[in-house]
Amino acid sequence: MEIAGLAASGLTNKQIAERLYISHRTVGAHLYRIFPKLGVSARAGLRDALSAQFPK
């Protein structure tokens, strides 16, 4: 969820990796698995999908 939230806020995989002290490839792998679960096919849809799944 943390990676999805950071990606939805507009950070790149490299920026997310630096914040979480992991590889940018690991970030990409997590996003690859998250997209189908949230029903999105592109990074642009993450914010809307997250807000619909987990309203504040």
Side-chain angles (χ1 to χ4, degrees):
M1 286 306 304
E2 188 172 1
I3 290 174
L6 290 170
S9 71
L11 295 177
T12 65
N13 287 5
K14 186 176 178 183
Q15 291 169 328
I16 296 168
E18 289 171 355
R19 282 190 181 197
L20 301 178
Y21 303 105
I22 58 176
S23 165
H24 68 91
R25 292 178 184 263
T26 301
V27 173
H30 282 287
L31 290 174
Y32 179 79
R33 288 192 300 264
I34 290 169
F35 280 12
K37 291 177 182 178
L38 293 177
V40 297
S41 59
R43 196 178 191 103
L46 275 177
R47 183 182 43 145
D48 295 333
L50 287 176
S51 64
Q53 287 288 113
F54 306 99
K56 291 184 179 182

